[in-house]
């Protein structure tokens, strides 16, 4: 089968699909991953065909406001729809659609009759169990949580409205609102597989049939590749260090964050690794190492703890490694994942990015490293995750299911 996965966003929105695609390729499928040019090396390293999508302007600043996020997202979606149509023009027997690409992909499936399946990284369907992941709010009770979840989807449809209208014109389809297409897919019980662990989010009992939590899709990496020599030397030179990194977040704030991180580490008496990321973290010293991109899987089990922005991928990687986290959420779904770690006992209360100080970070690091309860909770989460194989679940679903074609 020719399978096209379409993913847009930051590295954390794309990298999990390299692992999923590699697993499907091992099952005998021809797999292409459509994403931005920046991630072409990740795609090709996984042995997948690369197809280009427009770049996403979101997530590059420190902590953009919700109104600014909505404005830039709406503009991006219009470009994304046209790029998606171009990527799909090379053909596919099955479309795997993400949270960002599904509201556009549904219209491509209508035009072409190609079957599709949702492969989401966040629990987007309304539920009474928790409020929408993008709101960052605490639970307000089951009825209000569900109502807020429906409102969040309506807001998303507003973001997609112009892009959907232009895409349907290009495809020669009659006008149809983004919300109307979403309702149609819900009535059809369009299948969605969620790529996160039930250790973090058990499947809500009030979800409709067709929505399943299958386990995390881990980014592809070569398990035989050694860690960089300077990193290996640093790891062997003393006690387990703490890694501090903010992924694709906090661009332009690197100098302040670097100074803050080093002060916190030294206040807590810990060795540290600063992962540069979009912020450009950097520091010198015998007790601190600056690091670029390194796969989480071989590194995290050798750490004492991870300070991170609580993106879905880093959250899962820290838990799989059985090490505690200090979550510093910046925006979007990050407060949600940060709270899940706290509720599991694998992290202290999140420190909001805007409230981060060296003193607060040092205090949190001291607690997670010295109080064994955090490590025990993380180890329990790791044992749970070891029993899951999210990519294999997707492969089995594709192989045994007669996936619905658009009508």
């Amino acid at each position: 089968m020719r399978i096209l996965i379409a993913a847009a966003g930051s590295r954390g929105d794309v990298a999990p699909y390299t692992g999923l695609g590699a697993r499907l390729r091992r099952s005998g499928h021809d797999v292409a991953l459509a994403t931005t040019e920046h991630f072409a090396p990740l795609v090709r390293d996984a042995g997948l065909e690369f197809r280009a999508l427009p770049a996403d302007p979101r997530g590059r600043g420190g902590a953009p406001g919700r109104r600014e996020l909505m404005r830039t997202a709406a503009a991006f979606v219009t470009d994304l729809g046209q790029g998606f149509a171009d990527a799909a023009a090379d053909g596919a027997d099955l479309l795997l659609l993400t949270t960002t690409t599904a509201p556009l992909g549904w219209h491509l499936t209508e035009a072409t009759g190609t079957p599709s399946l949702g492969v989401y990284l966040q629990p987007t369907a309304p539920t009474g169990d928790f409020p929408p992941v993008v709101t960052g709010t605490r639970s307000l009770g089951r009825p209000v949580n569900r109502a807020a979840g429906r409102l969040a989807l309506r807001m998303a449809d507003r973001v997609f409205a112009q892009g959907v209208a232009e895409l349907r014109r290009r495809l020669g389809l009659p006008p149809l609102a983004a919300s109307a297409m979403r309702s149609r897919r819900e009535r059809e019980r369009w299948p969605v597989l969620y790529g996160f662990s039930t250790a973090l989010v058990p499947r809500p009992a009030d979800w409709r049939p067709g929505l399943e939590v299958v386990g995390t899709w881990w980014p592809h990496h070569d398990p035989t590749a050694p860690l960089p020599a300077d990193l290996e030397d640093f790891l062997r030179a003393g006690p387990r260090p703490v890694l501090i990194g903010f992924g694709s977040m906090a661009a332009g704030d690197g100098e302040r964050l670097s100074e803050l991180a080093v002060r916190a580490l030294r206040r807590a008496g810990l060795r540290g690794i600063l992962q540069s990321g979009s912020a450009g973290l950097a520091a010198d010293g015998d007790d601190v190492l600056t690091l670029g991109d390194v796969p989480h899987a071989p590194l995290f089990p050798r750490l004492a703890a991870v300070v991170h922005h609580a993106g879905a991928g880093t959250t899962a990687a820290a838990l799989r490694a059985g090490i505690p986290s200090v979550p510093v959420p910046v925006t979007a779904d990050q407060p949600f994942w940060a709270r899940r770690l706290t509720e599991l006992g694998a992290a202290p209360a999140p420190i909001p990015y805007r409230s981060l100080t060296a003193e607060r970070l040092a205090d949190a690091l001291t607690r997670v490293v010295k109080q064994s309860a955090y490590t025990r909770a993380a180890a329990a989460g790791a044992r749970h995750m070891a029993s899951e194989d999210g990519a294999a679940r997707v492969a089995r679903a594709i192989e045994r299911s007669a996936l619905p074609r658009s009508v």
Side-chain angles (χ1 to χ4, degrees):
M1 186 180 292
R2 294 177 305 156
I3 298 174
L4 173 60
I5 308 171
S10 68
R11 186 186 184 96
D13 299 311
V14 175
Y17 298 107
T18 63
L20 176 59
R23 173 63 178 79
L24 296 176
R25 185 171 177 268
R26 291 196 298 274
S27 293
H29 303 292
D30 292 328
V31 184
L33 176 51
T35 187
T36 60
E37 189 71 38
H38 180 72
F39 301 118
L42 295 182
V43 175
R44 294 185 175 121
D45 286 349
L48 310 178
E49 176 191 347
F50 170 74
R51 299 187 191 179
L53 291 180
D56 187 348
R58 294 172 293 168
R60 304 304 183 212
R66 194 161 290 139
R67 179 175 296 181
E68 177 66 12
L69 278 174
M70 294 281 283
R71 185 188 67 78
T72 58
F76 165 61
V77 161
T78 300
D79 292 339
L80 178 61
Q82 302 303 310
F84 194 178
D86 292 337
D90 288 339
D93 301 315
L94 172 67
L95 296 179
L96 298 186
L97 305 175
T98 70
T99 310
T100 305
T101 60
L104 298 165
W106 293 331
H107 305 273
L108 285 168
T109 65
E110 179 183 346
T112 64
T114 306
S116 64
L117 174 67
V119 283
Y120 290 7
L121 299 177
Q122 298 86 13
T124 55
T127 175
D129 288 4
F130 45 81
V133 299
V134 295
T135 64
T137 58
R138 295 186 179 277
S139 175
L140 298 173
R142 298 189 65 84
V144 179
N145 286 346
R146 284 192 61 83
R150 291 190 292 268
L151 176 61
L153 292 180
R154 288 199 294 272
M155 295 298 291
D157 290 336
R158 287 177 56 186
V159 170
F160 279 87
Q162 180 180 349
V164 164
E166 294 195 14
L167 178 59
R168 290 185 70 85
R169 280 196 294 271
R170 169 173 172 171
L171 296 172
L173 298 172
L176 183 70
S179 57
M181 176 60 87
R182 184 184 299 278
S183 297
R184 179 188 295 179
R185 289 293 175 258
E186 287 299 306
R187 290 194 302 271
E188 295 169 349
R189 295 184 172 179
W190 185 67
V192 179
L193 304 179
Y194 288 92
F196 48 79
S197 174
T198 54
L200 285 163
V201 186
R203 183 190 185 279
D206 58 355
W207 273 4
R208 65 163 173 83
L211 307 179
E212 299 297 336
V213 180
V214 300
T216 308
W217 305 313
W218 303 107
H220 171 77
H221 79 280
D222 180 358
T224 66
L227 293 172
D230 58 342
L231 173 58
E232 190 65 58
D233 291 343
F234 186 79
L235 291 169
R236 291 176 176 174
R240 289 188 176 206
V242 169
L243 183 139
I244 300 176
F246 294 90
S248 300
M249 298 289 104
D253 210 8
E255 185 175 350
R256 181 185 75 87
L257 287 174
S258 299
E259 180 188 356
L260 183 156
V262 172
R263 284 197 289 124
L265 287 166
R266 290 175 179 163
R267 186 182 178 108
L270 297 168
R271 301 195 316 141
I273 298 170
L274 303 190
Q275 190 159 30
S276 54
S278 293
L281 299 184
D284 295 319
D286 293 339
D287 57 346
V288 181
L289 176 72
T290 299
L291 185 67
D293 286 337
V294 170
H296 292 156
L299 173 60
F300 278 19
R302 300 177 67 180
L303 302 174
V306 185
V307 179
H308 58 87
H309 59 297
T314 311
T315 295
L319 193 63
R320 177 173 70 160
I323 57 173
S325 293
V326 176
V328 184
V330 180
T331 189
D333 61 332
Q334 295 159 18
F336 173 83
W337 296 112
R339 287 198 309 274
R340 303 309 287 193
L341 285 172
T342 301
E343 290 166 2
L344 281 176
I351 305 173
Y353 178 78
R354 294 182 187 276
S355 303
L356 183 64
T357 65
E359 293 72 25
R360 291 189 70 176
L361 181 55
D363 178 66
L365 282 171
T366 299
R367 280 188 286 139
V368 300
V369 171
K370 293 187 176 180
Q371 296 178 17
S372 60
Y374 292 105
T375 300
R376 288 198 302 271
R383 289 192 294 272
H384 182 117
M385 296 176 86
S387 68
E388 300 172 325
D389 189 341
R393 288 277 302 275
V394 176
R396 289 198 297 270
I398 290 171
E399 289 159 7
R400 70 170 180 256
S401 299
L403 293 169
R405 290 183 177 271
S406 179
V407 294

